[in-house]
Amino acid sequence: MGVGIEVTNLNAWYGTNHTLQDINLHIPANHATALIGPSGCGKSTFVRCLNRMHETNPIARVTGGVKVGDVDIYADAKPVEIRRRIGMVFQRPNPFPTMSIYDNVASGLKLNGYRNRRVLDEIVEKSLRNSALWDEVKDDLRKKSGASLSGGQQQRLCIARALAVDPEVLLMDEPASALDPVSTSKIEDLIFELKSQYTIVIVTHNMQQAARVAEKTGFFLNGRLVEFDSTHKIFTNPSDKRTEDYITGRFG
Amino acid sequence: MSEIRTFQPQFQQQKPSEGQAYAPQPGGAPGPGGQMGDQSDSAIRAFLRARGNSALADGGFRALMVLCGFSIFGIVALIAIVLIYRSGLVWHNFGLRFFYTYDKDPATGQPLYWDPVNGHFSAVPFLYGTLVSSFLALLLAVPLAIGVAIFLTEMCPKMLRAPLAFLTELLAAIPSVIYGLWAVFILVPLLREHVNPLLSKGLGWTGLFTDDNPTGLGFVSAGIILAIMILPIISSLTREVMIAVPHSQREAVLALGATRWEMIRMGVLRNARIGIVGGVMLGLGRALGETMAVAMVIGNTAEIHRNLLANGASMASVIANEYAEATSDLHRSALTELGLALFIVTILVNALARLLVWAVTRGAPAQAH
């Protein structure tokens, strides 16, 4: 089961660029939360702060608190431990091209020294079933490389890879923006399925996508969280004028 | 070439219209200039017209460049032909046996690998020397080179990166005779006084290190100096292929909770491995053919010893040492045959290496997106 995330006074910088300013919000457990906003508004930076990926860039800096479940990830833990508990799916599918499909899915567990073959087999199958890829690849698990799949399949493989370590939170940074409409709808169905078991945070450019998959939606603009509310409220009766302008397509 | 081809028709098409423009008006003033020729730009136009179509110059230029291009094939072919021709005598006398067998003293049973005065010739001790010294060099250089490349691409502070990379590549520019001198003055005494006794004490039981050579020269000296010489080539190519690994691969591994080393192993080295093998082979190519530094420290004794501290000789070093003084045709021919073998092997190794590096840097990992 997933856990909730409590963000307090989060600030982030890229060099001198103050990309996130005083973000406060609560992301509920076992729901999908969408983050929308125009390009460069800080929504990607925000999810990258939730698993401490932001700081892998040497010029990046973060202050403030992020509590995932009971753990303040910036105070009580090392980045490596945090990232084992929080899965991430990137904008562009990035399977490991030199590994088979099986090894791609098992990579997170193998990395951490998990060697029980029988359990690995089970987890690989379960993860691929959960990411709706099993039927398409079950005959080529060890024969084909991760890079031989189509773009949409690659992205579902990346989701399976993230799910295999049974994360408490799944972060998705525009997971469908590089995909065609059919693959996109598969990914959306998947998010819909998965959100009962995992806490999902999804960054998206596509407002319909946010409306379809998420219970909660946050609107980011210029590094600030303008509004955070139920998806229904955001898309039908936003309280901030800027949110309304954005969702009605007046800018962005 | 294609540019020239497409350019010519355009040029020819323009000519008729040009001609029309300058054609004398019917009943008008005579002369090619016509009315327009009387105007102020006539000198320029006359000058340009007088230049003709430059077909000869253009063709000449093209022929010259084609010649330059094909001269590469010519040079390689000429080298091969000369080597084959000059080694014919040994090929005729010994055939392939030259490369795998050697004479023995009928009385004592001692091997007579190489005795030009008495007509004993065999490539075996030189093949052995070349392979052993090159293999030792790879053994020492590869881990160090990969370490240097990892440090430079993944860990080095930005400030230090450029100077360090520059220095590593500068190592490749030092003439090999300088390496040889350094080895003779510093490395060999150091090995002789301090390292060889230790190797002998610690690893003597393997039979590979027996400290019975008072000179300090030998396979180990040659291997170490070769390792230093091929270090820059391997590390710079490794660096190149590591940089070619997309950033998204590193992020994918990090997001799974990898430590820095795990990220480098799984996200970078794994993706770059074919290119790294290419870099290693390129280093091997250089080590096989390296002449001067090896000739200065390997000891130049055409013998085969299991003991790596003993003197030996490599294919390149024996050619350099003996060719000028070779008096008999057979001796010269034997040395040339060694050169031919070296030529073929280094070309094959280099070609394979380049192919592997190219396979990676042209963007093979980019399939990942």
Side-chain angles (χ1 to χ4, degrees):
Chain A
M1 282 309 228
V3 293
I5 303 171
E6 193 73 50
V7 178
T8 41
N9 292 324
L10 187 72
N11 282 273
W13 290 263
Y14 266 121
T16 55
N17 193 2
H18 196 172
T19 45
L20 279 183
Q21 299 171 29
D22 301 321
I23 308 294
N24 289 284
L25 84 165
H26 175 75
I27 294 168
N30 299 327
H31 286 82
T33 300
L35 304 173
I36 59 170
S39 297
C41 66
K43 55 194 192 299
S44 281
T45 307
F46 177 75
V47 288
R48 290 170 66 88
C49 287
L50 299 183
N51 67 343
R52 301 191 63 173
M53 280 296 284
H54 178 64
E55 67 202 76
T56 58
N57 189 319
I59 61 164
R61 201 157 62 83
V62 185
T63 65
V66 177
K67 264 184 112 172
V68 176
D70 298 328
V71 183
D72 184 338
I73 64 167
Y74 283 95
D76 307 338
K78 293 270 176 246
V80 170
E81 308 168 56
I82 295 309
R83 296 183 199 129
R84 282 182 202 141
R85 298 175 47 201
I86 301 180
M88 187 162 200
V89 177
F90 295 85
Q91 181 172 1
R92 307 186 71 170
N94 54 359
F96 302 123
T98 55
M99 291 186 196
S100 67
I101 292 168
Y102 182 98
D103 286 337
N104 261 283
V105 180
S107 56
L109 289 167
K110 283 192 172 170
L111 184 71
N112 291 308
Y114 202 85
R115 291 281 177 273
N116 187 331
R117 271 289 296 270
R118 200 176 49 79
V119 180
L120 276 179
D121 286 351
E122 276 171 28
I123 291 176
V124 167
E125 177 171 348
K126 183 170 160 244
S127 307
L128 285 169
R129 281 190 193 282
N130 272 337
S131 66
L133 191 59
W134 176 253
D135 290 332
E136 291 161 59
V137 301
K138 63 183 174 199
D139 299 325
D140 312 302
L141 281 183
R142 288 169 200 279
K143 273 179 275 167
K144 280 193 176 171
S145 113
S148 68
L149 302 174
S150 73
Q153 288 175 324
Q154 286 189 16
Q155 192 62 303
R156 279 178 283 146
L157 180 60
C158 292
I159 294 174
R161 180 175 67 191
L163 293 180
V165 292
D166 197 16
E168 292 156 55
V169 177
L170 188 59
L171 307 176
M172 305 178 111
D173 187 0
E174 300 190 33
S177 69
L179 305 180
D180 64 274
V182 176
S183 305
T184 301
S185 89
K186 280 188 180 163
I187 302 274
E188 286 179 11
D189 291 346
L190 196 55
I191 295 169
F192 216 86
E193 295 279 313
L194 293 172
K195 68 185 178 187
S196 59
Q197 307 163 52
Y198 303 94
T199 304
I200 296 179
V201 183
I202 174 171
V203 170
T204 180
H205 261 305
N206 179 331
M207 284 179 275
Q208 287 77 28
Q209 188 169 71
R212 282 192 294 264
V213 303
E215 284 82 23
K216 290 270 200 172
T217 296
F219 172 58
F220 279 76
L221 187 64
N222 297 330
R224 291 182 181 278
L225 179 64
V226 172
E227 191 169 349
F228 184 69
D229 215 324
S230 78
T231 303
H232 184 72
K233 174 104 172 21
I234 292 273
F235 284 104
T236 53
N237 185 23
S239 20
D240 196 291
K241 179 77 172 59
R242 291 168 293 177
T243 313
E244 190 181 343
D245 286 350
Y246 183 70
I247 60 160
T248 53
R250 244 163 271 175
F251 74 92
Chain B
M1 299 258 283
S2 66
E3 277 173 299
I4 293 168
R5 275 199 207 108
T6 53
F7 179 63
Q8 276 172 341
Q10 286 174 352
F11 189 65
Q12 281 157 355
Q13 275 167 4
Q14 274 181 340
K15 264 163 70 180
S17 64
E18 224 178 331
Q20 279 172 358
Y22 294 105
Q25 301 288 320
Q35 284 178 325
M36 318 252 306
D38 296 333
Q39 281 161 20
S40 59
D41 56 6
S42 64
I44 305 249
R45 290 193 173 177
F47 169 76
L48 291 177
R49 233 174 296 127
R51 287 206 59 195
N53 61 7
S54 304
L56 193 67
D58 211 28
F61 175 73
R62 185 174 160 174
L64 195 65
M65 292 306 113
V66 167
L67 199 70
C68 288
F70 278 89
S71 70
I72 300 296
F73 291 109
I75 290 168
V76 174
L78 274 178
I79 293 174
I81 289 167
V82 167
L83 287 175
I84 292 168
Y85 175 70
R86 293 276 178 150
S87 60
L89 197 56
V90 159
W91 185 251
H92 181 74
N93 281 347
F94 302 101
L96 260 183
R97 281 188 301 128
F98 181 67
F99 291 103
Y100 65 83
T101 184
Y102 46 83
D103 298 338
K104 285 200 174 99
D105 190 328
T108 61
Q110 291 294 309
L112 296 164
Y113 298 113
W114 184 263
D115 183 356
V117 179
N118 297 311
H120 300 294
F121 295 101
S122 165
V124 176
F126 309 112
L127 287 171
Y128 178 78
T130 299
L131 287 177
V132 167
S133 58
S134 300
F135 183 71
L136 271 176
L138 286 185
L139 212 61
L140 296 169
V142 169
L144 189 59
I146 292 179
V148 168
I150 289 176
F151 178 73
L152 282 176
T153 50
E154 307 290 334
M155 302 183 158
C156 186
K158 236 184 186 154
M159 228 171 55
L160 257 170
R161 194 175 295 165
L164 258 180
F166 178 71
L167 263 179
T168 331
E169 275 162 41
L170 208 64
L171 278 180
I174 299 174
S176 64
V177 66
I178 309 289
Y179 279 106
L181 276 180
W182 177 79
V184 166
F185 288 127
I186 311 282
L187 180 70
V188 170
L190 185 80
L191 289 175
R192 185 177 57 216
E193 305 300 332
H194 303 289
V195 181
N196 290 359
L198 279 179
L199 278 175
S200 175
K201 205 182 284 172
L203 295 165
W205 54 271
T206 57
L208 295 175
F209 303 98
T210 309
D211 189 19
D212 59 1
N213 182 355
T215 63
L217 305 169
F219 296 114
V220 167
S221 308
I224 291 175
I225 201 69
L226 277 176
I228 299 171
M229 295 177 77
I230 64 176
L231 175 69
I233 222 174
I234 301 179
S235 82
S236 72
L237 273 163
T238 302
R239 209 161 66 87
E240 206 175 295
V241 292
M242 284 176 70
I243 290 170
V245 173
H247 192 64
S248 63
Q249 287 288 304
R250 293 174 172 83
E251 290 208 313
V253 187
L254 280 179
L256 290 170
T259 61
R260 172 107 69 155
W261 160 241
E262 289 164 343
M263 184 271 279
I264 290 166
R265 179 169 58 85
M266 210 160 125
V268 183
L269 293 182
R270 201 184 156 101
N271 286 318
R273 60 190 173 182
I274 296 172
I276 294 174
V277 171
V280 170
M281 292 195 65
L282 220 52
L284 176 65
R286 175 148 193 217
L288 290 174
E290 175 48 45
T291 309
M292 202 54 226
V294 174
M296 289 166 85
V297 299
I298 199 168
N300 299 310
T301 316
E303 289 169 3
I304 291 176
H305 294 286
R306 188 172 169 204
N307 178 15
L308 298 180
L309 300 178
N311 288 345
S314 77
M315 295 162 87
S317 75
V318 73
I319 297 172
N321 276 320
E322 296 188 4
Y323 203 90
E325 289 129 39
T327 44
S328 78
D329 286 342
L330 199 59
H331 190 189
R332 268 200 296 273
S333 174
L335 291 170
T336 314
E337 177 102 349
L338 285 174
L340 178 64
L342 196 56
F343 174 78
I344 293 170
V345 170
T346 44
I347 281 194
L348 287 181
V349 167
N350 273 286
L352 192 59
R354 294 280 177 198
L355 196 72
L356 291 173
V357 172
W358 171 79
V360 172
T361 47
R362 115 203 109 123
Q367 298 170 335
H369 309 276

